[in-house]
Amino acid sequence: VAGVGAGDGGRLEISAPNGTAALDGAISGGAGPTAADLPVDTQPVSGSFDLDVATLTDFSALNTKLNAGGFTESRHLRIRSGDIVIDAGDTARERDVVRARDVRFVADNGAINVKGKIDASGVRGGSVELWAAKAVALRNGGEIDAAAKGTNERGGSVLLATAGADNATLRLETGSKIDVSGTQTAESGEVYLRAPRVDTDNDGVADSVGVAELNATITGAGRVDVEAFSVKTLAAGEDIADINGFDTFIPTGERDRLTAQLIGANPGLGQQVFHMLPGVEIRTPDSATALNISGTLDLKDPRAADGEPGVLTIRSAGDLNVNGSISDGFSDPTTNGILFADGDSWSYRFVAGADLGSAHASALNRNGMGDFRLAADKLIRTGTGFIDVAAAGDIVLTNQKSVIYTAGHN
């Protein structure tokens, strides 16, 4: 799938969700050979590689082959069983260096260990996402570089997420590094950590957050967010009628603990960079055919104790029907609501046809079943948050007044 002349590289997709892939032959996906003669801002992109397998026997060998083949635009790997290890190397083998502008690795039933380097830097800031059921660890000596090197460019983004299986946590160890710096401003990149709230003593109240260490050296971050989420699985046929039961409690002392670790490792970062957001994840049973949001969800008031807004994630194994408006950042959830002048707002993830067996919060099933529908005259909006909508089937906004938007501040 390599480009010719000054052409773009193509995309190689390999899917064997119940098996593995043996790539013993040569693969090539680089941009055309004359691409280097073009100005930096007009150069074509290199190849992309997508892999979905049950198991992967040798990540290092695959990574070496992809580097040599020029697949440096994107690498998306979903490994359904087993760990992903980006190795530090030793006297017998070189250090693993993943080279791609857009990296997304998912270990559905395993862990991800970064001992080597992920290099997503380039003219523009890169994107790195690591999702695992178990631990995600950036080990001593491990590096993630998503910095922008071009002129007047925003920094990159890094997301590390664990589902917390087997009491697993996120670990950003002392001696590890993340660079999301840009050239537009000194600190314009983003680091986003997602981990569950944990009830270690089984008293029904969360008392910790699954981030064991936040001791990495972080360069160029305008925000470092921790989404500390809880999960509620609905009964079969149960609707979401209101915001009752949306748990925004952050365990006592956890924000201070992680702030101290972050600032201790990065004295130049101000405390205003750090945000601990209460995550509310609601999901259906695996067998559900549909989830209905039957009432209005007005999120202007639910906040953590320190005033931080939350992140709402709704994962339906079947259809997701939004029959009521969902709003934050406004005085009320109708079209007459007045946009607030300041303050951060809730973010949303909506997933129809969710693959609930995946560690990735927005993963979709492979059968194409699961539509997202926003009812007539209903809205989904927020002020400063993000809105992600994913569906295995169709995405339907029922009429011209069915709208989804972010509004910022007044």
Side-chain angles (χ1 to χ4, degrees), residues 314-344:
I314 299 179
R315 302 173 72 186
S316 172
D319 294 339
L320 178 52
N321 301 313
V322 183
N323 297 320
S325 291
I326 303 172
S327 176
D328 188 25
F330 290 78
S331 59
D332 69 63
T334 72
T335 54
N336 296 319
I338 298 171
L339 179 64
F340 292 141
D342 54 24
D344 290 339

Side-chain angles (χ1 to χ4, degrees), residues 77-84 105-112 130-136 161 163 357-360:
L77 272 60
R78 180 179 181 184
I79 312 304
R80 295 175 180 247
S81 179
D83 300 338
I84 298 173
F105 293 169
V106 181
D108 282 338
N109 288 288
I112 300 178
L130 306 180
W131 299 79
K134 299 180 182 178
V136 176
S358 177
H360 193 301

Side-chain angles (χ1 to χ4, degrees), residues 246-310:
F246 281 27
D247 180 10
T248 58
F249 173 72
I250 297 295
T252 304
E254 285 295 83
R255 188 187 193 285
D256 290 343
R257 175 179 70 86
L258 293 175
T259 301
Q261 289 185 5
L262 176 67
I263 302 304
N266 301 275
L269 283 181
Q271 291 193 20
Q272 74 280 359
V273 169
F274 182 68
H275 303 267
M276 182 167 280
L277 314 175
V280 176
E281 180 174 323
I282 302 173
R283 59 173 68 175
T284 65
D286 290 342
S287 59
T289 57
L291 170 58
N292 298 314
I293 299 176
S294 56
T296 297
L297 306 183
D298 184 0
L299 294 165
K300 70 177 185 296
D301 293 326
R303 294 290 190 273
D306 61 357
E308 293 282 9

